[in-house]
Amino acid sequence: MSTKIAMSDDYADNSDLQKGMLRYVFEQGYIKNAVEGSFEENRTRFQQLDKPYVIVDLGCADGKNSISVYKEIICAVRGLAPDLDVSIYVVDLPSSSFGDIINTVLSGLKDVPRVHVYAVGKSFFTSLFAENQVDLFFSNEALNWLSEAPCPYAGMDFFSLQEDHDEETRAKWMAVTEGDWNAFVTNRCKELRKGGRIIVSVTGSCSPLDEVDLAMIREYKACLAAIQTTLAKFNLEECQKGMVMPSTSRTPDEMLKPFEELELASRVISIDTSALLEPTVAQFQKDNDGEKPAQKQAGYSMGWTEGVLRSALRDHGVEEAPVVTAFIKDYFEVTLVEKFRNIESISEKINQHALVIAKE
């Protein structure tokens, strides 16, 4: 089963969760520590002024959320090597509007000298660069996406420890989840220079599942029920198969497994599973108090699923703008909010993992 990943046009306005995780990464000093750690392990590299410091942003979306990251990295690099040029590669779906993304990044960095910006439209799970070329990979809230959704299941985000998966479904999803993560780690570790770093911040789950995870599973099931209800309203039941989200919330053990089983010439510096973030969406803050929890979660869902739903509708020949607009409005503003109101509880937290990897 193939489901296309796509971000909504107003992704940056519906990405408070992503911004919250970036704030956490800054507060914990992950970026500064990563650059300084690279310097200590490979000082010669920072003296090679003919080779720009290479930053790769995996899952840049429209580029707006990443500008603060680039500035933080460049500040750390220039504090150690003031004359070193910097090259930024933004990586996302081949269908992304890279001209607009590059212009956004260049505009945001207009006061920062000697910065070059390039684009790569390829899957994260393939080779992106030649070996030993990259100084720092960074990915924020993007590696929950998978290369495919192998089959339908009871939810909208795959939790390997969710109890109501049948064994065949669990096996199919685990094959994709593990295969994608192994491919990602293997390729990125090859592409890093000695002492280089990978920083990954991503939605995750605990082992065993905690109350936050269980609440999120209930909410994802509500999302699935809301989609089914909205499809029925619009007589679009045939679109259901295309609306399986190719995403997962990995446990810490699942993220660490390749480093125990594969020869990667890299090591895990740290894995932080303590981040619990609350998604708050600006356009829902003025609603009545009784509406806020359901509205807020519907807004969070909009930020990461609207583009996928639109893509699924297009794939089934539903391209009329009024129909698509009416479907999206009904799903997010009416049906999904109603489903969220009726579940046991709304989680105001989401488990997050932050992983830092170093090349030997």
Side-chain angles (χ1 to χ4, degrees):
M1 176 179 294
S2 176
T3 303
K4 295 181 181 178
I5 304 169
M7 298 295 102
S8 59
D9 292 338
D10 57 353
Y11 173 80
D13 297 326
N14 282 323
S15 58
D16 281 25
L17 174 70
Q18 290 83 347
K19 295 172 185 175
M21 193 60 191
L22 285 180
R23 286 192 295 271
Y24 183 84
V25 167
F26 292 154
E27 291 167 359
Q28 299 301 311
Y30 287 124
I31 291 175
K32 183 174 182 292
N33 292 341
V35 175
E36 291 178 352
S38 294
F39 179 78
E40 291 300 324
E41 293 175 22
N42 191 3
R43 293 190 176 216
T44 302
R45 188 273 166 273
F46 285 78
Q47 298 168 359
Q48 297 171 325
L49 301 184
D50 59 324
K51 296 180 179 179
Y53 186 91
V54 176
I55 302 166
V56 179
D57 182 0
L58 299 162
C60 62
D62 60 11
K64 294 178 182 178
N65 289 346
S66 296
I67 291 171
S68 60
V69 179
Y70 305 149
K71 289 182 177 179
E72 182 89 356
I73 297 171
I74 294 169
C75 180
V77 170
R78 295 271 167 84
L80 300 169
D83 298 322
L84 188 58
D85 279 22
V86 172
S87 293
I88 299 171
Y89 289 83
V90 292
V91 183
D92 217 303
L93 302 169
S95 58
S96 300
S97 300
F98 284 115
D100 293 337
I101 295 170
I102 289 176
N103 287 335
T104 295
V105 173
L106 289 173
S107 176
L109 299 177
K110 62 181 182 296
D111 297 325
V112 183
R114 304 192 315 281
V115 176
H116 317 280
V117 183
Y118 309 93
V120 179
K122 289 184 68 177
S123 166
F124 301 160
F125 311 117
T126 62
S127 175
L128 299 173
F129 300 92
E131 294 186 11
N132 306 309
Q133 296 297 311
V134 178
D135 294 286
L136 178 61
F137 285 105
F138 182 84
S139 180
N140 182 55
E141 301 300 331
L143 283 167
N144 57 299
W145 293 111
L146 300 172
S147 60
E148 64 173 319
C151 63
Y153 65 102
M156 295 286 284
D157 189 63
F158 179 73
F159 289 72
S160 63
L161 301 180
Q162 185 173 330
E163 291 183 354
D164 56 357
H165 293 316
D166 63 73
E167 289 308 309
E168 182 180 0
T169 297
R170 190 189 310 276
K172 288 180 178 179
W173 278 86
M174 285 306 299
V176 177
T177 298
E178 292 182 354
D180 283 355
W181 183 242
N182 286 350
F184 170 81
V185 170
T186 299
N187 282 304
R188 300 299 80 80
C189 288
K190 288 179 180 178
E191 294 160 353
L192 276 180
R193 288 192 173 108
K194 177 184 176 182
R197 295 295 196 266
I198 304 171
I199 303 175
V200 172
S201 51
V202 67
T203 301
S205 61
C206 297
S207 178
L209 300 178
D210 66 6
E211 287 303 317
V212 173
D213 294 324
L214 296 174
M216 290 307 302
I217 289 171
R218 289 193 294 269
E219 290 164 28
Y220 288 132
K221 288 184 177 181
C223 291
L224 180 61
I227 284 179
Q228 293 168 340
T229 298
T230 309
L231 289 171
K233 285 183 185 179
F234 286 80
N235 296 316
L236 295 172
E237 291 91 337
E238 71 277 5
C239 298
Q240 174 68 42
K241 289 184 179 180
M243 294 189 176
V244 181
M245 300 296 167
S247 65
T248 187
S249 290
R250 294 182 178 90
T251 67
D253 288 343
E254 289 166 0
M255 296 184 73
L256 295 174
K257 189 175 180 180
F259 299 93
E260 299 167 355
E261 298 183 351
L262 305 178
E263 296 183 5
L264 298 171
S266 299
R267 69 187 189 280
V268 174
I269 296 290
S270 64
I271 181 165
D272 181 353
T273 62
S274 62
L276 281 167
L277 301 184
E278 177 182 1
T280 55
V281 184
Q283 68 261 36
F284 295 128
Q285 294 309 295
K286 295 182 180 180
D287 293 324
N288 296 328
D289 287 347
E291 303 296 316
K292 278 186 179 179
Q295 295 275 19
K296 284 164 65 175
Q297 290 301 77
Y300 162 62
S301 180
M302 181 187 296
W304 72 276
T305 63
E306 180 185 354
V308 179
L309 299 184
R310 289 182 180 273
S311 175
L313 290 171
R314 285 196 301 271
D315 288 347
H316 284 80
V318 183
E319 300 187 18
E320 299 87 348
V323 175
V324 174
T325 299
F327 178 92
I328 295 296
K329 182 178 179 64
D330 184 280
Y331 172 69
F332 287 110
E333 297 183 18
V334 180
T335 310
L336 185 55
V337 172
E338 181 180 342
K339 296 292 185 184
F340 279 162
R341 287 199 200 109
N342 293 330
I343 62 178
E344 181 179 336
S345 65
I346 288 285
S347 173
E348 295 192 355
K349 302 292 182 181
I350 298 174
N351 281 318
Q352 303 285 316
H353 302 326
L355 178 68
V356 182
I357 302 163
K359 178 73 171 283
E360 300 287 4

